[in-house]
Amino acid sequence: MILPGNATVTETTSITMLPAAPLHALEIWGNPQAVATRVHKALGFALPVMNRSANNAATTLLRFEPTVWLVEGDVSVLADTLGDDAALTAIGGGIVRFRLAGPHWRELLLEGGVFDTSLAAFPVGAAAATVIDHVGVRLWAQSEDACVAYVPASYAQGLHHFWDDALPLLGT
C-alpha cells in the first residue's frame, strides 16, 4: 500500500510519429491582398502572420516564410480560390510529422537546436523554421504541452533516434 504523500509521479516527454496527413505548400506570388481576402472568405480565418498559425476544424496554416504557408488538412476549398496568383503543391510524401509532448518538449528541441524555445519566444500557436541536428525542420507549438515537428522524410528516422537518445539527458 502506498501512503498518501509517498507516491512519486514522473511526468515524461514523448516522441510520437504521427500518421501521414495531407500537407501542402501554399505559395502566393501575385496580388497578395486579393488572395488573402479570398482565403479568409473560404476558410473563415485570415492567413496567419509570419511565424504564427491559424486553423479551423479541417485546415491548419503555418507561416514560415514571407510568401509561403504550410497547409495541413483539407485544401479542397482553397484550390478554387487561389486563381493565377498562388498555388498549392502537395508535399506530404516528403514530410514526416512528430508530436513532442510532455513537460520537457521545449528542452528536447534545444538538443541540437538553434533557437529560443521558451514560452515567451515560442508561445502556443507559434511556428518556426529552424535547424535541429543539421536538418531543416518546421515546428508548431500546438499547445502548452505539445509541439508538432515537420521533418524531411529522408531524415525522420535519424532525428527520431537523436531525440530518443537525448530524452535521458533531460531527466524524463
Side-chain angles (χ1 to χ4, degrees), residues 58-144:
T59 309
T60 298
L61 273 69
L62 309 168
R63 188 171 182 187
F64 300 108
E65 299 176 40
T67 61
V68 181
W69 290 258
L70 174 68
V71 184
E72 182 175 327
D74 184 10
V75 295
S76 60
V77 69
L78 284 176
D80 296 331
T81 65
L82 300 178
D84 293 332
D85 301 311
L88 282 168
T89 305
I91 60 170
I95 305 291
V96 174
R97 301 173 312 135
F98 288 97
R99 187 169 194 268
L100 312 177
H104 300 287
W105 68 263
R106 292 177 185 279
E107 291 89 347
L108 183 60
L109 291 176
L110 291 174
E111 292 294 325
V114 293
F115 82 108
D116 184 354
T117 63
S118 69
L119 183 58
F122 193 52
V124 173
T130 191
V131 174
I132 297 177
D133 195 34
H134 309 291
V135 175
V137 298
R138 305 294 188 254
L139 303 169
W140 173 39
Q142 186 179 38
S143 69
E144 285 188 30

Side-chain angles (χ1 to χ4, degrees), residues 2 12 15-16 18 28 39-41 50 53 57 61 66 76 86-87 106 120 127 129 134 139 141-142 145 155 157:
I2 298 175
T12 62
I15 305 162
T16 306
L18 299 173
I28 300 174
V39 168
H40 190 170
K41 183 177 178 182
M50 192 67 178
S53 64
L61 273 69
S76 60
R106 292 177 185 279
H134 309 291
L139 303 169
Q142 186 179 38
D145 297 325
Y155 197 70
Q157 184 177 10

Side-chain angles (χ1 to χ4, degrees), residues 36-59:
T37 299
R38 294 191 306 262
V39 168
H40 190 170
K41 183 177 178 182
L43 294 176
F45 62 86
L47 287 170
V49 297
M50 192 67 178
N51 295 323
R52 296 298 297 168
S53 64
N55 62 306
N56 60 25
T59 309

Side-chain angles (χ1 to χ4, degrees), residues 111 162 164-172:
E111 292 294 325
F162 175 80
D164 280 339
D165 285 350
L167 279 177
L169 303 174
L170 304 176
T172 58

